Amino acid sequence: MTTTFIEPCDIVFFRDDLPFGDQGSQVARCQFPPRPSVIAGALRTRMLVDQQVDFDAFAAGAVSELVAREFGRARREGDGSTLDGGAFRLVGLWLGQIGGDHPGACFRAGRDLVAGGKQAVEGTPALLAPSARGAGGGVSSLPALEPVGVRLGSTPIDGWLRGPDYARYLAGTAPPSPEQVVRWRDVLDWDYRVGIGLDEGARTVDEGRLFSSRGAVLRPGWGFVAQVDGCSAVPTSGLMRLGGDGRMARLAPWPVAEPDWSGARGAVVGERRFRWVLQTPAIFTGGWLPAPVREEAGRLVWERDGFRARLVSASIGAPELAGGWDLVRRGPKPFRLMVLAGSVYWFEIEQGSGEDAWRLFHGQSVSDERANEGFGIIHVGGWAHV
């Protein structure tokens, strides 16, 4: 496994998946952080260039055994395409900072971490969890799930936690102060621009066709930490193109070790309960439910390889669209609904151990589709009823 740090050298633009131009909005929006497929695609493209692969030959499936083994062999399927095989997997993706007062990785806070509310000091973070049966003060929209306890007036924290704070959060302890949460304004500034459409046939401006765009300018030292498995030549130096317009990003080895997960692991093993916190969006064939979860006697159960757990509750928010560009077909990928990063699923273990839960899920992908592109990467933490 190789970990590399990707630091944009310029403004970056990660298009969302909403229509833009003649058939849609005249505002081009930038997503941040980008879909994991953007980072995976940029890294794979850089590696294919390093291997001197001709992209027309790659699209036709005429590649060397090394490329076929690590990246797959392209095969057309009707209007779409697929890659047969290929060991490349994006297995980790976080924000990171080199230099400054707090160098290290930052992890997405889950929707169970909230701030504000009538029962607490203004702005103080708190952790939500499913309510014990018979307890009030919860919300659930499905009879198979227990309600999540709520704090009136509170809202999920939209931000990231630095490594040590995030490890304690997974172990079941909220940060003592809102100042320990990394917010958008700490990471980037938005860059707003206005442009005018072009008439390609006449090679002139198309008067009256104004549009606007919003890009992201990361603050000095901020970038993306990417972990890749299954490839022998993951770049950790030089430059690569990233996002719209092919703006440059600098690659460097990532010098910071992962946080100490022992507290979170102990909470899972000791309580025989665990929660998923999605670090990247997930694509589930069941909408908001992963394919291995099935309904059984009015309950939702995950069962695999002798391990069995009941889904107690979930907090997922509104879905968004995942698309992308198909390098083989040279056209857009089909849209899929995805569950957003920061979504939380709570489970109780019915068969197996907490060690099994940690081994099966922590740092793994649970996405039913496009897992190799980094969708559905989760971390595991403990929890207790409120």
Side-chain angles (χ1 to χ4, degrees), residues 91-254:
V91 297
L93 181 61
W94 314 289
L95 282 181
Q97 184 181 24
I98 290 182
D101 297 331
H102 304 283
C106 291
F107 302 89
R108 187 75 180 184
R111 288 178 53 86
D112 58 341
L113 185 64
V114 300
K118 297 181 179 179
Q119 302 112 308
V121 177
E122 184 67 24
T124 302
L127 272 177
L128 303 182
S131 296
R133 291 193 180 277
V139 175
S140 176
S141 58
L142 293 173
L145 302 182
E146 294 181 13
V148 176
V150 296
R151 173 187 280 182
L152 294 177
S154 66
T155 56
I157 288 177
D158 189 13
W160 297 266
L161 296 175
R162 301 188 187 277
D165 294 327
Y166 180 73
R168 287 189 286 271
Y169 154 78
L170 288 182
T173 302
S177 167
E179 300 301 320
Q180 292 176 262
V181 178
V182 177
R183 307 284 186 167
W184 297 85
R185 61 180 177 271
D186 302 319
V187 179
L188 59 83
D189 286 316
W190 294 115
D191 181 271
Y192 295 90
R193 301 187 180 187
V194 176
I196 189 168
L198 298 177
D199 185 330
E200 295 183 3
R203 297 183 179 274
T204 61
V205 299
D206 193 348
E207 294 184 7
R209 291 189 61 195
L210 295 176
F211 67 91
S212 63
S213 65
R214 184 186 74 171
V217 181
L218 272 66
R219 298 188 183 279
W222 283 96
F224 309 102
V225 184
Q227 283 188 335
V228 177
D229 200 9
C231 277
S232 60
V234 180
T236 56
S237 62
L239 299 172
M240 76 174 189
R241 295 181 180 274
L242 181 66
D245 297 330
R247 301 299 179 97
M248 288 293 108
R250 185 182 300 108
L251 298 166
W254 178 244

Side-chain angles (χ1 to χ4, degrees), residues 41-55 58 67 71 233 235 239-241 327:
L43 286 170
R44 285 195 291 193
T45 301
R46 161 65 195 271
M47 285 185 273
L48 289 172
V49 170
D50 289 346
Q51 295 293 323
Q52 299 182 335
V53 173
D54 180 270
F55 283 86
F58 182 75
V67 172
F71 298 96
L239 299 172
M240 76 174 189
R241 295 181 180 274
L327 183 63

Side-chain angles (χ1 to χ4, degrees), residues 276-366:
W276 292 351
V277 182
L278 267 67
Q279 286 301 298
T280 60
I283 303 172
F284 296 139
T285 55
W288 67 278
L289 274 178
V293 175
R294 70 177 192 277
E295 186 175 356
E296 183 181 280
R299 304 186 312 154
L300 296 173
V301 177
W302 172 296
E303 188 168 14
R304 189 179 69 186
D305 300 332
F307 178 83
R308 178 184 174 94
R310 178 176 71 92
L311 177 60
V312 176
S313 197
S315 178
I316 60 175
E320 288 188 4
L321 291 172
W325 188 258
D326 190 320
L327 183 63
V328 175
R329 191 170 57 86
R330 296 186 178 179
K333 293 180 179 179
F335 283 121
R336 295 287 187 269
L337 287 175
M338 63 181 184
V339 177
L340 294 186
S343 298
V344 181
Y345 293 74
W346 289 269
F347 291 87
E348 285 184 341
I349 299 171
E350 295 186 342
Q351 183 176 326
S353 67
E355 287 287 354
D356 294 331
W358 186 268
R359 173 180 53 82
L360 284 170
F361 300 122
H362 187 75
Q364 304 298 314
S365 170
V366 294

